[in-house]
Amino acid sequence: SAVISQKPSRDICQRGTSLTIQCQVDSQVTMMFWYRQQPGQSLTLIATANQGSEATYESGFVIDKFPISRPNLTFSTLTVSNMSPEDSSIYLCSVGTDRGTEAFFGQGTRLTVV
Amino acid sequence: GENVGLHLPTLSVQEGDNSIINCAYSNSASDYFIWYKQESGKGPQFIIDIRSNMDKRQGQRVTVLLNKTVKHLSLQIAATQPGDSAVYFCAELTDSWGKLQFGAGTQVVVTP
């Protein structure tokens, strides 16, 4: 298993500002994933972060809004840019095993935009 | 794609009874499925998984059933306890690295 730490655990931000969320894993992993969970809803994949290359974004998500860094095999950041109240969600970091099974999640970052 | 904003369906279960949570998945080619439990304020926690070459798998108090014909998963929780109150999600693996497609989720409320 992997232990995943996210920071911050929660934040309240002003509209128009940006927030960077950090995800630290206790072991080296090839792929890291960022998900969004809007209030009362399921998880939706934002992007896949592979070390050494640009993140791959899912339909409906763009790099200008959600820039991602992956500087090494244990760390990634997700920035939520130019925030609006519609960005209020829980943002979750995830890693898969090398065999692609048992994807593990961090505890999430609860973002409220006012 | 994204789930359009609806509140999660709720399953109300009396303590000690068995719970059955259902999930439909989308891709007939998917070969690995996971059930997650998400408690308030926490990230999803792995409960049990199943590969497509199986139709049933049992864990401690939990059983997952897979019906590939109708693309349906279920999670059975035996002797439901107050600590089982949470949101439960099924997820299907969509690549070999851990990328997941989640189902809509079910809120389980255990009543005394």
Side-chain angles (χ1 to χ4, degrees), chain B:
Chain B
E2 293 203 30
N3 293 299
V4 181
L6 297 174
H7 292 295
L8 294 169
T10 299
L11 175 67
S12 188
V13 182
Q14 194 154 17
E15 183 177 355
D17 287 352
N18 297 334
S19 305
I20 299 176
I21 305 162
N22 296 303
C23 178
Y25 63 92
S26 55
N27 186 353
S28 57
S30 293
D31 63 1
Y32 181 71
F33 305 88
I34 306 174
W35 278 99
Y36 286 96
K37 173 186 180 183
Q38 187 178 29
E39 297 173 284
S40 181
K42 297 184 179 179
Q45 177 187 2
F46 174 92
I47 303 173
I48 191 168
D49 58 357
I50 189 167
R51 294 199 175 276
S52 60
N53 61 353
M54 305 171 72
D55 54 20
K56 180 179 179 179
R57 189 157 189 239
Q58 289 185 286
Q60 188 176 19
R61 281 202 308 120
V62 294
T63 300
V64 55
L65 299 178
L66 174 61
N67 185 331
K68 294 182 286 295
T69 303
V70 295
K71 293 189 286 186
H72 183 268
L73 276 168
S74 67
L75 178 71
Q76 301 176 3
I77 305 174
T80 311
Q81 302 169 359
D84 295 327
S85 291
V87 178
Y88 290 81
F89 295 99
C90 69
E92 58 188 296
L93 192 71
T94 61
D95 73 8
S96 60
W97 295 104
K99 180 175 165 181
L100 298 168
Q101 173 82 36
F102 278 81
T106 299
Q107 173 89 52
V108 172
V109 177
V110 182
T111 57

Side-chain angles (χ1 to χ4, degrees), chain A:
Chain A
S1 65
V3 177
I4 304 167
S5 302
Q6 275 186 245
K7 289 195 294 187
S9 58
R10 59 177 60 232
D11 207 342
I12 300 173
C13 300
Q14 296 290 324
R15 69 179 67 200
T17 63
S18 298
L19 176 72
T20 296
I21 302 166
Q22 299 179 6
C23 180
Q24 179 75 51
V25 189
D26 68 343
S27 58
Q28 293 185 342
V29 293
T30 304
M31 295 293 191
M32 297 176 74
F33 305 92
W34 288 98
Y35 290 82
R36 180 174 74 182
Q37 186 176 25
Q38 294 176 297
Q41 295 190 37
S42 187
L43 285 76
T44 300
L45 182 66
I46 297 171
T48 303
N50 186 9
Q51 194 264 337
S53 62
E54 199 166 276
T56 303
Y57 289 83
E58 298 298 306
S59 175
F61 298 97
V62 295
I63 188 171
D64 289 347
K65 177 67 176 177
F66 298 102
I68 287 171
S69 79
R70 182 80 201 274
N72 58 52
L73 292 173
T74 63
F75 187 79
S76 179
T77 68
L78 170 76
T79 299
V80 187
S81 302
N82 188 24
M83 289 183 284
S84 68
E86 292 71 34
D87 294 320
S88 297
S89 293
I90 301 171
Y91 292 86
L92 294 137
C93 170
S94 163
V95 303
T97 67
D98 285 344
R99 294 173 61 190
T101 60
E102 294 190 38
F104 298 98
F105 285 82
Q107 82 279 16
T109 296
R110 184 178 294 271
L111 170 63
T112 302
V113 183
V114 298

